[in-house]
């Protein structure tokens, strides 16, 4: 079966007319691309080009995000958008590169790099912000090793919907601008339709990028990378003599806040290697990630995470471990005297645990409608989770039920305690409940619904389930009655055997 049959005619327009495009003026959309990363030492990247795709077809385009970037997608036809976002017809000013990086994967150090992605450029928005525009799945690069440089449609749609859901939940994340079906079949099992995801990020600089630069043992390269990252993410530090220590502390603080946000929505990243930890503090590289249904701290979804290294409850410790690798990479910049540099790195790392605990507790207080701070709040939150675990209560729906004053089986004694605690707040309970409904989502991208939407798209070319789920998770704090089914937990047998796959 060819890719057209796999995808279905519904989402694959006719073959992209390359000849005609060269004759007609190209729509400009509003591109304003810069290449500050490509001005860094050349050892940090490699020029690349997209593979040739004969029949790219637009699957989905994010017009609202495009608008925020200063791009008007309505100026281009779907075929033209497909050509642009699969790398076949690059925007004016594009200069694609693949970025070099290294990383600890499951604890083991490896050389990596963009093996299936290219950075088209950095779009400067009308308000002056800078965002990487990256095409993932666009073909082989110097860093592909034995990989084919390709991505399959299902996983790219998965990244699209989960990253957009995270954004709607207010959690820092890379975003998804478009998915284009390449028209190719990629070698994944019996063969899957290929696709390219256009991804938008504050930057794609990873802990692994710093590990790569540090490994070169050329301090000027490391310094150039750090100055670049500071200019992009912590510009207020740029002129400070202590800017590298300040940057290290800022990255640690952002990651502590980020992982606390994940824990508060039951998100399991699934593959928290150091190359998947961004210095921007955005969630990056959605592979085998998933939201948990029933609360269980040992939840692990990834089919290859045999020892549960990246299980839910372990995420804060793993992020701390990744930050220790980051601090190590930064050591040469922290002082000329190594013992002093190491002491500074350790001092910065010591802040992680208290920052994480404070961010988590603040998140849990908000989930429970609490504004005042009482010493017993930590125990109140922990006891709720213990009761939820015992009752196998659904994580998302339990908090939502509390905020809608619906009883949850197994939580009666705890609920009495919480009501007594709410009574000690200054605002009336009704106000607290309203605030809770703005932080406890009514709907998340549940695994069984995501799988349904992806198989409809991949196997039958039907995008309606994907669009319906995307619409629901894009407004997660309000769910219309017609979409109530999307909030229901999966059948127990689904939840018990659900596994996610990466590298696809
Ligand atoms: P990921 O699991 O997506 O974070 O990828 C880990 C590393 O493997 C990165 O360096 C990717 O660029 C690379 N990689 C993943 N899939 C492919 C592929 N199909 N072809 C080439 N490189 C890949
Ligand atoms: Mg990665």
């Amino acid at each position: 079966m060819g890719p057209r049959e796999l995808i279905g005619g519904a989402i694959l327009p006719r073959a992209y007319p390359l000849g005609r495009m060269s004759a007609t003026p190209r729509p400009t959309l509003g591109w304003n691309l810069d290449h500050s990363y490509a001005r860094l030492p050349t050892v940090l990247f490699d020029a690349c080009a997209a593979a040739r795709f004969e029949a790219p077809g637009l699957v989905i385009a994010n017009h609202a995000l495009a608008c925020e970037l200063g791009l008007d997608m309505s100026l281009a036809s779907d075929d033209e958008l497909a050509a642009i976002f699969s790398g076949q017809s690059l925007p004016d000013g594009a200069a694609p590169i693949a970025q070099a990086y290294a990383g600890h994967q499951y604890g083991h150090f490896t050389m990596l790099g963009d093996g299936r992605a290219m950075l088209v450029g950095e779009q400067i928005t009308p308000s002056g912000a800078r965002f990487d525009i990256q095409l993932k799945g666009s073909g082989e690069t110097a860093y592909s090793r034995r990989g084919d440089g390709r991505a399959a449609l299902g996983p790219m749609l998965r990244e699209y919907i989960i990253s957009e859901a995270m954004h709607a939940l207010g959690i820092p994340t890379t975003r998804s601008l478009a998915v284009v079906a390449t028209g190719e079949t990629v070698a994944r099992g019996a063969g899957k339709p290929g696709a390219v995801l256009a991804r938008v990020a504050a930057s794609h600089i990873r802990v692994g990028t710093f590990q790569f630069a540090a490994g070169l043992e050329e301090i000027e390269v490391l310094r150039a990378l750090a100055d670049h990252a500071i200019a992009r993410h912590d510009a207020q530090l740029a002129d400070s003599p202590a800017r590298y220590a300040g940057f290290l502390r800022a990255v640690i603080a952002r990651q502590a806040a980020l992982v606390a946000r994940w824990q508060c929505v039951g998100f399991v990243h699934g593959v928290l290697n150091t190359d998947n930890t961004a210095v921007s503090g955005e969630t990056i590289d959605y592979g085998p990630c998933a939201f948990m249904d029933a609360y269980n701290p040992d939840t692990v979804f990834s089919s290859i995470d045999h020892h549960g290294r990246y299980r839910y409850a372990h995420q804060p410790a793993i992020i701390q471990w990744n930050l220790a690798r980051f601090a190590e990479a930064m050591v040469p910049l922290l002082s000329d005297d190594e013992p002093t540099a190491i002491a500074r790195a350790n001092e910065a790392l010591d802040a992680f645990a208290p920052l994480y605990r404070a961010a988590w507790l603040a998140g849990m207080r908000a989930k429970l409608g609490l504004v005042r701070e009482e010493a017993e709040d930590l125990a109140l939150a922990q006891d709720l989770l213990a009761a939820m675990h015992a009752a196998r209560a659904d994580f998302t729906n339990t908090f939502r039920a509390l905020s809608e004053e619906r009883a949850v089986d197994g939580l009666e004694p705890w609920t009495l305690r919480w009501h007594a605690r709410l009574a000690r707040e200054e605002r009336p309970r009704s106000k607290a409940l309203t605030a809770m409904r703005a932080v406890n989502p009514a709907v998340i991208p549940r695994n069984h619904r995501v799988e349904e939407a992806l198989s409809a798209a991949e196997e039958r070319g039907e995008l309606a389930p994907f669009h319906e789920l995307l619409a629901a998770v894009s407004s997660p704090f309000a769910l219309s009655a017609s979409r109530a089914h999307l909030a229901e937990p999966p059948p127990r047998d689904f939840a018990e055997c659900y596994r996610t796959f990466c590298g696809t």
Side-chain angles (χ1 to χ4, degrees):
M1 206 193 303
R4 282 185 155 274
E5 286 79 5
L6 272 172
I7 299 176
I11 55 171
L12 252 192
R14 67 188 183 284
Y16 170 62
L18 290 160
R20 195 201 60 180
M21 275 305 291
S22 51
T24 339
R26 220 166 20 171
T28 60
L29 304 193
W31 291 105
N32 182 17
L33 293 172
D34 187 37
H35 304 279
S36 65
Y37 191 90
R39 292 193 285 273
L40 290 174
T42 55
V43 66
L44 293 173
F45 60 90
D46 199 74
C48 65
R52 171 97 173 177
F53 302 123
E54 295 301 333
L58 187 69
V59 178
I60 187 165
N62 192 337
H63 288 256
L65 174 59
C67 199
E68 288 176 42
L69 294 168
L71 299 175
D72 184 354
M73 284 180 160
S74 69
L75 296 174
S77 68
D78 282 5
D79 284 357
E80 286 163 341
L81 292 176
I84 294 167
F85 293 112
S86 62
Q88 309 303 293
S89 160
L90 286 172
D92 287 334
I97 56 167
Q99 292 174 308
Y101 50 89
H104 277 89
Q105 298 194 303
Y106 290 90
H108 303 284
F109 188 73
T110 339
M111 285 300 173
L112 297 161
D114 288 333
R116 56 162 170 176
M118 63 185 214
L119 178 62
V120 171
E122 299 148 16
Q123 170 74 358
I124 312 297
T125 71
S127 62
R130 178 184 297 266
F131 289 99
D132 276 8
I133 310 289
Q134 194 204 55
L135 304 182
K136 180 170 173 180
S138 57
E140 288 170 45
T141 73
Y143 310 108
S144 296
R145 295 173 293 165
R146 275 162 297 161
D148 61 3
R150 307 301 205 264
L153 178 61
M156 295 306 100
L157 284 175
R158 197 161 202 288
E159 171 153 349
Y160 189 108
I161 197 164
I162 300 196
S163 63
E164 289 304 297
M166 292 288 269
H167 172 73
L169 289 167
I171 299 176
T173 177
T174 63
R175 307 257 335 249
S176 296
L177 187 57
V179 173
V180 177
T182 60
E184 283 185 347
T185 300
V186 293
R188 306 286 186 274
K192 287 277 163 64
V196 175
L197 169 76
R199 175 159 85 175
V200 178
S203 85
H204 284 83
I205 304 169
R206 306 143 189 273
V207 166
T209 319
F210 277 86
Q211 291 180 289
F212 177 85
L216 299 170
E217 297 190 353
E218 286 179 54
I219 191 161
E220 291 317 317
V221 175
L222 182 63
R223 192 188 307 281
L225 176 65
D227 285 337
H228 170 84
I230 290 169
R232 293 187 72 166
H233 303 302
D234 296 286
Q236 76 289 354
L237 296 172
D239 298 321
S240 157
R243 63 186 178 280
Y244 302 119
F247 175 58
L248 175 59
R249 283 195 297 271
V251 172
I252 289 170
R254 282 195 284 271
Q255 285 291 332
L258 178 66
V259 68
R261 299 295 307 271
W262 294 347
Q263 300 307 91
C264 284
V265 295
F267 174 77
V268 183
H269 181 286
V271 59
L272 279 180
N273 296 329
T274 56
D275 56 298
N276 293 339
T277 300
V279 302
S280 64
E282 289 182 341
T283 312
I284 193 171
D285 272 5
Y286 292 85
C289 63
F291 284 80
M292 64 181 168
D293 295 297
Y295 175 70
N296 181 345
D298 292 326
T299 299
V300 42
F301 294 110
S302 170
S303 60
I304 60 168
D305 191 1
H306 304 297
H307 302 288
R309 179 179 171 93
Y310 299 139
R311 67 189 181 275
Y312 171 78
H314 209 209
Q315 295 188 119
I318 284 292
I319 289 293
Q320 186 179 33
W321 191 89
N322 291 352
L323 290 168
R325 307 289 79 75
F326 178 55
E328 278 165 9
M330 289 290 287
V331 158
L333 297 177
L334 298 178
S335 168
D336 293 338
D337 173 56
E338 197 176 74
T340 308
I342 291 172
R344 285 184 182 151
N346 278 322
E347 196 183 310
L349 286 168
D350 285 345
F352 177 84
L355 282 172
Y356 167 72
R357 279 196 294 266
W360 183 83
L361 185 55
M364 291 304 285
R365 278 202 180 97
K367 287 177 82 68
L368 296 176
L370 306 176
V371 174
R372 291 183 51 243
E373 295 180 9
E374 288 191 7
E376 295 77 35
D377 294 342
L378 177 61
L380 186 73
Q382 286 171 334
D383 293 348
L384 169 60
L385 293 177
M388 285 166 63
H389 190 194
R392 293 181 167 209
D394 183 86
F395 186 86
T396 304
N397 289 358
T398 298
F399 285 100
R400 190 69 189 186
L402 294 175
S403 62
E404 292 173 354
E405 287 205 286
R406 287 184 279 112
V408 184
D409 280 350
L411 295 188
E412 296 80 2
W414 181 89
T415 306
L416 290 176
R417 236 172 101 195
W418 172 58
H419 283 167
R421 173 65 184 82
L422 273 178
R424 294 197 295 276
E425 288 287 299
E426 266 144 37
R427 60 184 178 181
R429 194 204 287 187
S430 63
K431 285 255 163 57
L433 294 171
T434 305
M436 285 171 68
R437 292 193 292 274
V439 292
N440 292 303
V443 61
I444 48 153
R446 289 199 184 260
N447 306 317
H448 63 304
R449 297 300 180 190
V450 171
E451 294 303 326
E452 273 172 17
L454 298 190
S455 25
E458 266 198 326
E459 290 159 23
R460 301 190 295 282
E462 270 174 44
L463 278 173
F466 185 83
H467 283 296
E468 189 190 24
L469 189 57
L470 179 64
V473 300
S474 297
S475 300
F477 301 110
L479 187 65
S480 66
S482 65
R483 292 195 179 128
H485 59 288
L486 297 178
E488 282 162 24
R492 188 165 277 183
D493 55 342
F494 176 94
E496 276 165 8
C497 17
Y498 185 62
R499 286 288 166 275
T500 52
F501 299 90
C502 71
T504 49

